């Protein structure tokens, strides 16, 4: 990765880390389409690496607020979903993969703006876990599926529970991709190089959590993510 590409990708990751530190998800939703436009090799493995790192930091910060029962049910679905995600990675060529990534982002944007208000019941958590495992492994975007179920809960519980789920889920996805030969040392190193930028965004989110209205970032976040996804889809189809 060139220094110029690293700097631009780092800014994207820092913004995503700030957003996820505030509302509990959004790192991959913002970063994935933009990073895929910069360099397709940055998705999904490097993003999974930084997502796992961010989740560990968030979990340590608000560990006492985790809904472990909900995490357990969601992980029950995440495991088979990971197998589906690995199959997607193995089956698609770069052009098709770009379309799938863009479509996944648009689907998550639509989920985020829906007026549907599901509850974190065992069946819904398992279903969300399967979807999260599939898309999270294939495109590193798995947060909105589970976040949608916790949207009416208190901020600390949302952030902590999603952090616990992301920590376990990202680790499972990385291990699954590694076992099936879909991870290279270069991809892992690219993720490691982006972690300092991630930490900067995460640290900035700390003092802002109690002062900043997280809902204020939802609209611009979804606009950027949606627009980036459309550009990615068009570019993939025309390539």
């Amino acid at each position: 990765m060139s220094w110029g590409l690293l700097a631009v990708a780092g800014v994207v990751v820092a913004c995503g880390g700030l957003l996820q530190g505030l509302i509990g998800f959004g790192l991959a939703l913002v970063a994935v389409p933009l990073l895929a436009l910069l360099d397709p090799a940055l998705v999904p493995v490097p993003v999974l690496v930084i997502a796992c790192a961010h989740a560990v930091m968030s979990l340590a910060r608000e560990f006492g607020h985790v809904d472990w029962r909900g995490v357990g049910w969601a992980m029950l679905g995440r495991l088979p979903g990971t197998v589906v995600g690995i199959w997607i990675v193995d089956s698609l060529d770069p052009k098709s993969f770009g379309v799938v990534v863009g479509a996944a982002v648009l689907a998550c944007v639509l989920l985020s703006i829906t007026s549907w208000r599901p509850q974190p019941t065992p069946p819904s958590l398992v279903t969300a876990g399967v979807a999260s495992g599939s898309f999270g492994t294939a495109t590193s975007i798995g947060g909105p599926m589970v976040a949608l179920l916790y949207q009416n809960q208190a901020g600390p519980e949302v952030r902590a529970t999603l952090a616990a789920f992301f920590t376990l889920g990202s680790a499972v996805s990385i291990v699954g991709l590694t076992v099936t030969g879909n991870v290279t040392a270069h991809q892992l190193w690219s993720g490691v190089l982006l972690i300092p930028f991630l930490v900067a965004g995460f640290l900035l989110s700390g003092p802002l959590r109690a002062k900043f209205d997280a809902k204020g970032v939802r609209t611009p976040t979804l606009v950027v993510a949606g627009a980036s996804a459309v550009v990615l889809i068009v570019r993939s189809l025309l390539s």
Side-chain angles (χ1 to χ4, degrees), residues 65-72 120 125 150 157 160-161:
H65 296 282
V66 177
D67 173 19
W68 287 109
R69 176 178 172 276
V71 171
L125 284 164
Y150 283 92
E157 180 181 349
T161 301

Side-chain angles (χ1 to χ4, degrees), residues 109-133:
V109 168
L110 292 176
L111 281 175
S112 298
I113 63 177
T114 181
S115 59
W116 181 41
R117 294 292 183 268
Q119 299 300 313
T121 61
S124 64
L125 284 164
V126 172
T127 302
V130 172
S132 179

Side-chain angles (χ1 to χ4, degrees), residues 14-203:
C15 293
L18 170 61
L19 174 66
Q20 186 148 320
L22 289 172
I23 66 176
F25 75 102
L27 169 60
L29 189 62
V30 172
V32 165
L34 293 175
L35 292 179
L37 286 170
L38 289 172
D39 183 357
L42 292 174
V43 180
V45 177
V47 178
L48 283 170
V49 171
I50 60 175
C52 189
H54 191 288
V56 170
M57 292 187 294
S58 298
L59 182 59
R61 186 164 66 181
E62 298 183 293
F63 187 85
H65 296 282
V66 177
D67 173 19
W68 287 109
R69 176 178 172 276
V71 171
W73 284 112
M75 283 303 300
L76 188 63
R78 175 91 188 201
L79 296 176
T82 298
V83 176
V84 176
I86 293 172
W87 175 80
I88 293 173
V89 172
D90 283 334
S91 303
L92 297 180
D93 56 70
K95 177 179 178 178
S96 300
F97 186 74
V99 174
V100 168
V101 170
V105 173
L106 288 178
C108 290
V109 168
L110 292 176
L111 281 175
S112 298
I113 63 177
T114 181
S115 59
W116 181 41
R117 294 292 183 268
Q119 299 300 313
T121 61
S124 64
L125 284 164
V126 172
T127 302
V130 172
S132 179
S134 302
F135 286 102
T137 302
T139 68
S140 61
I141 304 172
M145 296 79 166
V146 178
L148 185 65
L149 302 179
Y150 283 92
Q151 61 184 301
N152 295 320
Q153 310 304 313
E157 180 181 349
V158 175
R159 292 190 296 265
T161 301
L162 291 178
F165 176 70
F166 292 154
T167 298
L168 297 173
S170 298
V172 168
S173 294
I174 292 172
V175 170
L177 289 169
T178 300
V179 170
T180 54
N182 289 295
V183 176
T184 66
H186 175 71
Q187 291 171 327
L188 292 174
W189 181 240
S190 295
V192 170
L193 288 176
L194 291 170
I195 288 179
F197 298 95
L198 175 77
V199 173
F202 174 80
L203 293 177

